[in-house]
Every structure is written in structure tokens, then in C-alpha cells.
Amino acid sequence: MENIIRSQMSEFDENRVHGLKARCKVIPDTRNHQGFFISEDTYTLIEETETGWAYICTDDSEDGFPSRCHFVNPDDLRFLKKFQ
């Protein structure tokens, strides 16, 4: 699964080197590692785990810290072209 993330993000490698985080959306009906549906929102890819999950978080709290995080299948991610 790590290859999926790498293939989708190959054009963004330069941005990752400069410390910018990849922004992504999840496809409809995406479930987390516990089987629960997660909201179709914009997330930040935090890391790719050794076990094959993508760890994503939203940044919708007032203090700027991630407030909702999920482990999801990397196949369910669609990366955005803008970085923040």
C-alpha cells in the first residue's frame, strides 16, 4: 500500500522535502481501521505506517492542532494539488 501513496504523491516530493504537508480528501464511504465511516472532509497526511495504513488528521480546531485523526486505507485517499 505504501507504493500507492508514493505513486499518488510522486509529483509532490519536492513539497514534502520542504516540510509542507500533503492535503487529501477521502473517497465516499471510507472506513477507518475500526470499520467506522469517516466524514468526507479535507485531511492532512501525517504519516504512512509500517503496517500499511495512512494516518490522516483534520485541522479544524481553533489552536491549529489536529482534532480528528484516523488510520485509513491509502487506496481511499485522493491528494489535493495545494499544500498548506
Side-chain angles (χ1 to χ4, degrees):
M1 289 189 196
E2 186 173 320
N3 292 335
I4 294 168
I5 290 176
R6 285 187 188 177
S7 67
Q8 287 186 32
M9 294 195 54
S10 62
E11 64 189 80
F12 304 123
D13 286 341
E14 182 180 337
N15 291 316
R16 289 174 52 141
V17 168
H18 296 292
L20 299 172
K21 302 264 184 171
R23 305 285 289 163
C24 58
K25 287 195 173 266
V26 294
I27 61 174
D29 298 328
T30 295
R31 295 176 183 254
N32 65 13
H33 70 292
Q34 297 174 325
F36 294 102
F37 289 107
I38 66 170
S39 64
E40 294 176 36
D41 203 348
T42 301
Y43 294 89
T44 300
L45 175 65
I46 304 300
E47 71 174 321
E48 305 158 31
T49 68
E50 292 179 8
T51 56
W53 293 101
Y55 185 57
I56 58 173
C57 296
T58 61
D59 184 22
D60 57 3
S61 62
E62 290 181 17
D63 57 7
F65 289 101
S67 61
R68 288 180 291 137
C69 297
H70 304 281
F71 288 98
V72 297
N73 182 340
D75 291 334
D76 295 338
L77 300 179
R78 298 297 173 254
F79 291 94
L80 305 175
K81 295 197 185 250
K82 253 190 167 176
F83 287 90
Q84 295 182 346

